[in-house]
Amino acid sequence: MKNFLFRLYLAWMKFRARFTTMENNNIVILNGSGRSGSNGYAFYKWLLLNHPEYNTTLVEPWPSSHLKWEVWQKIGAARYVITTHQPFKVRKHQINVQLWHGVPLKRMGIMANNTRHRDNKRNEKLWHKTADVVASSSDLYETLMSACMAIETKKYHKLGFPRLDLLHSPVISKAQLLKDLFNTEDEKAQIGIYMPTFRYELEDKTIMEKIKEGNFFAFQDFNGKKLNEELKKRHQYLIVKLHPYEMRLFANFKSQYSNIAFLNNDYLFDHNYDLYELLGDTDFLMTDFSSIYFDYLHLNKPIVFVTNFLQQYERTRGLLMGPYSEITPGISVNSEQELIANLDHLDNQQLANRRLYWLHLTSQVKGDSYCENVFKFMTQEYRG
């Protein structure tokens, strides 16, 4: 019922917004990705700096039923509507540029095990009717996205993803990140970041209970104090960036550990950072089934894959490629014991070669700036 009412609300606001006057130099970015690797936010910051002649508006969170009418007027007045999730525009002559939010690894849409046929058909029609430009990184990306969303090949354009521009130019130094999150100085520091995917959809209450108790890995053998000591011995520091829903389960964001820190959205919003503006300062990534690992390949740094819920994910939602061991260029760990046993040798030449192989498969776009690629294409191809 709530979904129906929200769709009704969107339809009504779209109808009203159509009567505003559209201007060719108006750009609206509907950011549904927060600050955890947002193509929309990265593109917004780039536009403000490089093209002040355009009136650029950032709308977040999106979608929302709490937007002021003035915001809807700006959406209606935009020539270009940039989206990070579902395509959207309020009038036929607007140009929707779809940046999406990552190379998909988990199944979505018609490929997923946990979606409804009616919803999938609605989404397929939405992409067909609304998306004008779908930014792409590779042939593989287009194949995966079309398998899930039935997107026509003519909509794809190999422009790259704006957030990748942020990886190689961190906004603060590694020393400052260490000071901000761990309140320490350490010239030998290796900073890792753990970013799991959304585990709530596994519909397993025991997982959420473990996370609520502070077991952010949801390992059976989790011992936070022991893990912290092992990290400390090696001058390693672990940033934990959970899904916002999971972060809300914690009673206290402040870590009781010296070498483990929780990164919440408040830090990012307070400093006007996107997470990708900090990733370049890290030395290794830990994840499970998140597509962030495809982006992290651009840094050519070690990746550790946490597999304790692999079978549940394959059963509940499914993965687009497999076997998992063949598509993940890094060490796999299934427990804290395995993680600690691998802390001294996170990388080797074989893993580095596999990372390069997957980078070539997922990134075929040339150019010094993906933001510039997107801007030039949309403004030159659709001059108005």
Side-chain angles (χ1 to χ4, degrees), residues 170-272:
V171 289
I172 58 175
S173 67
K174 182 177 178 179
Q176 186 62 51
L177 181 62
L178 200 65
K179 183 175 179 58
D180 284 356
L181 298 185
F182 298 93
N183 194 29
T184 191
E185 297 178 4
D186 188 344
E187 293 182 355
K188 299 179 181 179
Q190 285 186 309
I191 301 177
I193 184 166
Y194 172 52
M195 291 189 64
T197 192
F198 186 35
R199 291 170 287 187
Y200 180 77
E201 67 180 340
L202 290 174
E203 299 178 353
D204 186 337
K205 292 182 179 179
T206 62
I207 298 173
M208 294 300 105
E209 286 300 318
K210 286 184 173 69
I211 295 171
K212 191 174 182 180
E213 293 169 359
N215 181 356
F216 46 86
F217 283 117
F219 281 149
Q220 292 292 343
D221 63 343
F222 180 77
N223 184 326
K225 290 183 179 179
K226 180 180 180 181
L227 176 60
N228 187 73
E229 287 304 311
E230 295 293 338
L231 292 168
K232 191 174 181 179
K233 288 179 188 177
R234 297 163 172 82
H235 295 268
Q236 292 174 331
Y237 298 81
L238 184 62
I239 300 170
V240 178
K241 179 68 175 74
L242 303 181
H243 187 278
Y245 176 86
E246 294 182 2
M247 287 299 287
R248 288 197 294 269
L249 297 178
F250 280 85
N252 190 349
F253 280 129
K254 294 183 179 179
S255 172
Q256 58 183 317
Y257 311 113
S258 61
N259 288 52
I260 302 172
F262 296 105
L263 177 60
N264 59 52
N265 286 334
D266 290 344
Y267 175 81
L268 299 172
F269 277 93
D270 288 348
H271 293 83
N272 290 320

Side-chain angles (χ1 to χ4, degrees), residues 134-353:
V134 180
S136 167
S137 64
S138 64
D139 293 336
L140 177 61
Y141 175 81
E142 294 170 16
T143 300
L144 296 175
M145 287 294 290
S146 288
C148 296
M149 303 296 187
I151 303 168
E152 301 101 314
T153 188
K154 65 181 180 181
K155 294 183 182 292
Y156 291 110
H157 298 277
K158 289 185 175 64
L159 306 172
F161 304 129
R163 66 183 181 179
L164 297 181
D165 288 344
L166 307 176
L167 292 177
H168 299 287
S169 302
V171 289
I172 58 175
S173 67
K174 182 177 178 179
Q176 186 62 51
L177 181 62
L178 200 65
K179 183 175 179 58
D180 284 356
L181 298 185
F182 298 93
N183 194 29
T184 191
E185 297 178 4
D186 188 344
E187 293 182 355
K188 299 179 181 179
Q190 285 186 309
I191 301 177
I193 184 166
Y194 172 52
M195 291 189 64
T197 192
F198 186 35
R199 291 170 287 187
Y200 180 77
E201 67 180 340
L202 290 174
E203 299 178 353
D204 186 337
K205 292 182 179 179
T206 62
I207 298 173
M208 294 300 105
E209 286 300 318
K210 286 184 173 69
I211 295 171
K212 191 174 182 180
E213 293 169 359
N215 181 356
F216 46 86
F217 283 117
F219 281 149
Q220 292 292 343
D221 63 343
F222 180 77
N223 184 326
K225 290 183 179 179
K226 180 180 180 181
L227 176 60
N228 187 73
E229 287 304 311
E230 295 293 338
L231 292 168
K232 191 174 181 179
K233 288 179 188 177
R234 297 163 172 82
H235 295 268
Q236 292 174 331
Y237 298 81
L238 184 62
I239 300 170
V240 178
K241 179 68 175 74
L242 303 181
H243 187 278
Y245 176 86
E246 294 182 2
M247 287 299 287
R248 288 197 294 269
L249 297 178
F250 280 85
N252 190 349
F253 280 129
K254 294 183 179 179
S255 172
Q256 58 183 317
Y257 311 113
S258 61
N259 288 52
I260 302 172
F262 296 105
L263 177 60
N264 59 52
N265 286 334
D266 290 344
Y267 175 81
L268 299 172
F269 277 93
D270 288 348
H271 293 83
N272 290 320
Y273 296 157
D274 183 89
L275 177 66
Y276 275 47
E277 294 179 288
L278 307 176
L279 276 187
D281 288 328
T282 64
D283 297 285
F284 62 93
L285 167 72
M286 296 184 65
T287 187
D288 46 15
F289 320 107
S290 171
S291 63
I292 188 176
Y293 94 77
F294 290 115
D295 292 348
Y296 205 77
L297 294 172
H298 289 260
L299 294 174
N300 194 23
K301 295 178 179 180
I303 306 172
V304 178
F305 293 92
V306 181
T307 60
N308 52 329
F309 299 117
L310 175 59
Q311 291 183 347
Q312 283 176 266
Y313 251 105
E314 289 178 328
R315 182 172 61 253
T316 305
R317 180 166 174 174
L319 301 179
L320 285 168
M321 297 180 288
Y324 184 79
S325 60
E326 297 296 322
I327 64 172
T328 47
I331 295 168
S332 292
V333 299
N334 194 46
S335 64
E336 181 171 305
Q337 181 180 357
E338 289 186 7
L339 171 59
I340 292 173
N342 282 283
L343 287 177
D344 288 323
H345 43 86
L346 298 177
D347 201 14
N348 57 49
Q349 191 58 53
Q350 183 180 6
L351 293 175
N353 292 341

Side-chain angles (χ1 to χ4, degrees), residues 74-91:
K74 289 184 177 181
I75 295 174
R79 168 64 171 166
Y80 306 99
V81 181
I82 316 297
T83 50
T84 63
H85 284 66
Q86 296 286 47
F88 186 88
K89 58 184 179 183
V90 302
R91 58 193 349 153

